[in-house]
Amino acid sequence: MQGSGACRTGLAAALVLVLALVSALWAQPGAAQGSLAAQARLLGDESAISASRTHLQVDLALSQPVPYRMRLLAAPPRLVVDLNTVDWGAGALAGSGNGIKAQRLGHLPDGWARMVLDLAAPYLPETAEQKVDPATGQARIALRFRRVTLEEFETSAQSESALVAQTGAALLHPDKGASAPAPARRPVVMLDPGHGGIDPGAERSGVREADLVLDFARILREVLLRRGVFDVALTREEDVFVSLDGRIRAARAARADLFVSLHADALPEGMASGTVVYTLGDEASDDSAAYLAERHDRADMLAGVDLAGNTDEIARVLMAVAWQDTAPRARALAEALVAGVGEAGLRLHRRPVQSGAFTVLRAVDMPSVLIELGFMSNPRDLAALRDPEWHSLMADALAAALEAWWQDDLALEGLRRQ
Ligand SMILES: [Zn+2]
């Protein structure tokens, strides 16, 4: 490892900290109180940008605290600050020094307010904080940056395409006004309702897993599309058999950014209950994971799909360089989903994050998880799995968790690309 490793790690931590600060502020009852009641205003007289040869300071005074996020974009160097939601008022902020070539203020289609600063030189963040004056309720966002080399900047700045994919291209280019943002490609979630056709999956009390997970996938798609962060594709839209390889191929064809397989299996011992999220592992984390992985492969064999050499393929794949990148992202995705389900008060398996040699999860370049929503072999789970209200709670929880993971994943992207 090079000597600069610690520094870069510190920077990544700082970027993540920015996102964390947003939620920490929001969690303070005093700070959040009343802040949704009226739109925040920029207090132009008390806001300023100042740049020197070594440092850049951005101070934004606001009539009340707001959630915010910031990104640095390379080629050319730009600082993007998004505030939710702020009235920019009269226009340009007062500035001093020659570190800023241009500033653009506007709004994103989803209501966030965006400020883009074209930087004359590369800077990276040192600190970012939002402080609230308890007497007036006014807030001040103070962002501090230090001058760095272009090389250092470019390894840490986010790619423009990632930001555009997430929030659109508004104001990122001087010649494109906020009024006509370029249509952005949203990240694509591939939802994979398990089983189907000749393979009904688990069956209990007249309910077939294949039907249940297809119904749930449609509900989750609806929720995700309504929330507007992701586009959604399904590996199957009806009761048909799709091979495990076919499901991965479908995800690639849709240029999916992540893959979520949905199941509600039964286990012979009838002991498992609650939601569990699996990632690909070379060894099963327990007997039931091994059983489930084997059982899901068996349907392919019955359908005449050749899985010969499958185990070798997984072993080979696990050594691949791409997997080093994808495995921690898939693990973080599984943890985010489990956290979301837990926060929604829905029941989790006693070991909610597990791994197994699931063929359907072996795309090395796409974070993939398999969710057992619950186990049909457990009476309490089966009742939940048949309850429309539970479907809606679960879909909301998973959608919010997918978005939270995507945010974190984007924030870490710069670090991963090194
Ligand atoms: Zn299944």
Side-chain angles (χ1 to χ4, degrees), residues 194-195 201-202 209 213 262-266 292 295-296 370 372:
H195 310 278
E209 182 186 356
V213 293
L262 298 164
H263 289 259
D265 281 278
L292 288 168
R295 191 176 172 287
H296 286 131
L370 185 148
E372 291 285 356

Side-chain angles (χ1 to χ4, degrees), residues 194-195 199 201-202 204 209 244 261-279 284-301 307 310 349 351-352 354-361 370-377 381:
H195 310 278
D199 168 26
R204 289 288 188 284
E209 182 186 356
L244 299 175
S261 194
L262 298 164
H263 289 259
D265 281 278
L267 285 172
E269 65 267 36
M271 294 299 287
S273 70
T275 304
V276 49
V277 182
Y278 291 93
T279 57
S285 50
D286 68 9
D287 288 351
S288 54
Y291 172 84
L292 288 168
E294 203 182 292
R295 191 176 172 287
H296 286 131
D297 281 2
R298 199 179 300 156
D300 266 30
M301 281 183 254
L307 285 174
N310 210 26
H349 189 275
R351 279 185 61 198
Q354 295 201 41
S355 62
F358 292 92
T359 299
V360 79
L361 300 182
L370 185 148
I371 306 177
E372 291 285 356
L373 296 165
F375 290 90
M376 287 174 70
S377 42
D381 278 13

Side-chain angles (χ1 to χ4, degrees), residues 176-257:
K176 286 182 188 166
S179 54
R185 179 187 177 270
R186 287 178 179 161
V188 176
V189 184
M190 183 51 104
L191 296 180
D192 172 43
H195 310 278
I198 57 161
D199 168 26
E203 298 186 72
R204 289 288 188 284
S205 314
V207 183
R208 292 156 25 114
E209 182 186 356
D211 300 334
L212 199 150
V213 293
L214 179 56
D215 286 348
F216 183 79
R218 290 187 177 127
I219 294 166
L220 180 53
R221 171 172 60 186
E222 193 65 32
V223 171
L224 283 166
L225 292 178
R226 199 172 59 225
R227 295 172 65 111
V229 173
F230 291 106
D231 275 336
V232 182
L234 264 59
T235 53
R236 66 179 178 94
E237 292 274 0
E238 49 197 296
D239 188 22
V240 291
F241 176 81
V242 183
S243 71
L244 299 175
D245 278 338
R247 294 167 194 263
I248 296 176
R249 279 200 305 274
R252 288 202 200 294
R255 293 173 60 212
D257 294 278

